[in-house]
Amino acid sequence: MSYLSVSTWSLHRLLGPLRWTGWNEETGEHTTNEQTQDEIHTLLELPAEAARRGYQAIEVCHFHFPSTEPAYLEQLKQSFLSAGVSFDTLLLDYGNLTTEDGKRLAADMGLSRKWIDIAALAGAKQIRIIAGEADPDNEKA
């Protein structure tokens, strides 16, 4: 069955601050860098707004989540259910699972596992994880 879907990446100028995940080489830890921008719609409002415009599904990028607390994730899940819109995919738009840096690999694997749990709590049907940054000719990766 075909249906109309949209990614929050296409709407990112409407959804408030972007929370970019990065890697700090010095500390060997993930960082979150917030890019300020206006919020026309909250992520909680988006499913109803999408339904009003004829969309049946949404992919949500991880950097659009203002919170990953369980209570917020339940609210997000309910906003999708109330709107009758499918939370098709959560995109974890960060990670390098091909890195040869053992510390970063462990941290990125842990981050991926964390976001898999977040996707489940928020009601996403699936999660899409960025595989890495290896060169195409890197057969090991």
Side-chain angles (χ1 to χ4, degrees), residues 9 20-21 61-63 90-95 128-130:
W9 176 248
W20 301 107
T21 304
C61 301
H62 89 283
F63 49 79
L90 189 157
L91 168 60
L92 175 55
D93 195 23
Y94 171 84
R128 184 163 60 104
I129 296 174
I130 301 303

Side-chain angles (χ1 to χ4, degrees), residues 31-44:
T31 60
T32 300
N33 302 306
E34 190 168 299
Q35 178 184 341
T36 304
Q37 59 183 24
D38 292 339
E39 184 177 66
I40 308 304
H41 297 288
T42 69
L43 190 55
L44 295 175

Side-chain angles (χ1 to χ4, degrees), residues 106-119:
D108 284 3
M109 290 291 288
L111 186 70
S112 295
R113 286 185 191 97
K114 173 185 164 189
W115 278 96
I116 289 168
D117 291 342
I118 289 167

Side-chain angles (χ1 to χ4, degrees), residues 43-45 47 67 69-82 121-122:
L43 190 55
L44 295 175
E45 295 168 341
S67 172
E69 294 297 319
Y72 177 82
L73 299 175
E74 180 61 30
Q75 283 183 297
L76 184 59
K77 181 179 180 178
Q78 291 306 315
S79 71
F80 275 94
L81 292 171
S82 295
L121 288 171

